[in-house]
Amino acid sequence: GDSVTQMEGPVTLSEEAFLTINCTYTATGYPSLFWYVQYPGEGLQLLLKATKADDKGSNKGFEATYRKETTSFHLEKGSVQVSDSAVYFCALSSQGGSEKLVFGKGTKLTVNP
Amino acid sequence: NAGVTQTPKFQVLKTGQSMTLQCAQDMNHNSMYWYRQDPGMGLRLIYYSASEGTTDKGEVPNGYNVSRLNKREFSLRLESAAPSQTSVYFCASGRWGYNQPQHFGDGTRLSIL
């Protein structure tokens, strides 16, 4: 079945450091890929998405590129802020839209001033 | 805009008690979902409703029932609560078939003693 593997956390960084959270997937066909963010005490919010190979999703300084050859969708940000502290989830939808999302286990990021 | 509203936000039950978690969305979405979030497990799909009048099992349906009351509302029922059902429950909605992201509520934190 479809699955998502993302790097184990927690990740602790200093403000202005570079962030990478790795995500790889297994799916049939051509899935859509998503990064969701969950701030403390809140639900999940869509951070960015990509729907086909070589697409780059971006939002709030975060970026991720859909790499079909390596089945990856790594999340990056050049300079993190304290307000970026949250749990980040990589997810896929194998039916091409947002139907029946399959999530990774989440990576908790803490950014210290 | 309210988006996806879940009630209650917190609940404590005793083993064997029953409870219904309520979810309503005001975005005119056709699909709705129930997930549970457990530490180190990410989000796992319990049940979903692709459209009004239909419901289907997700990854972890045992011990739960759902009702799609109308287009706006999708409830999750625990008939006889067990400690293993202690979790944070999230409802989400989306537009099935339109390649758009799911929108999440803020969650219900449920503890079963």
Side-chain angles (χ1 to χ4, degrees), chain B:
Chain B
N1 290 333
V4 179
T5 302
Q6 293 184 234
T7 55
K9 294 190 184 302
F10 303 95
Q11 185 69 47
V12 178
L13 294 178
K14 294 181 180 178
T15 298
Q17 288 185 316
S18 63
M19 170 152 193
T20 300
L21 280 59
Q22 306 287 352
C23 175
Q25 53 92 8
D26 63 1
M27 294 174 283
N28 201 35
H29 287 163
N30 54 354
S31 61
M32 298 185 74
Y33 311 80
W34 277 105
Y35 296 89
R36 59 179 289 173
Q37 182 181 27
D38 302 294
M41 298 294 291
L43 275 78
R44 293 180 291 169
L45 183 64
I46 304 171
Y47 270 94
Y48 67 100
S49 171
S51 62
E52 186 178 358
T54 68
T55 60
D56 284 289
K57 296 178 181 179
E59 182 184 355
V60 288
N62 291 345
Y64 305 94
N65 286 300
V66 290
S67 295
R68 183 73 183 268
L69 304 171
N70 49 54
K71 190 172 185 180
R72 291 186 63 247
E73 298 173 290
F74 189 40
S75 63
L76 178 72
R77 182 161 179 84
L78 287 68
E79 290 290 353
S80 179
S84 61
Q85 295 177 304
T86 293
S87 187
V88 182
Y89 291 85
F90 287 99
C91 178
S93 69
R95 297 185 71 196
W96 190 283
Y98 287 84
N99 199 28
Q100 293 182 4
Q102 292 180 17
H103 295 257
F104 285 77
D106 287 339
T108 295
R109 187 174 297 275
L110 182 61
S111 294
I112 300 163
L113 306 177

Side-chain angles (χ1 to χ4, degrees), chain A residues 34-87:
Chain A
F34 307 86
W35 277 100
Y36 280 83
V37 59
Q38 183 181 32
Y39 298 104
E42 299 184 9
L44 277 71
Q45 304 173 26
L46 178 71
L47 182 59
L48 53 84
K49 69 174 185 178
T51 57
K52 61 183 186 295
D54 300 324
D55 267 2
K56 177 185 283 187
S58 62
N59 186 25
K60 299 181 181 180
F62 291 90
E63 293 183 339
T65 301
Y66 188 143
R67 301 288 188 199
K68 192 173 190 302
E69 64 276 14
T70 55
T71 62
S72 65
F73 193 54
H74 305 321
L75 182 68
E76 296 182 337
K77 186 175 185 182
S79 177
V80 294
Q81 305 300 313
V82 173
S83 58
D84 294 327
S85 298
V87 181

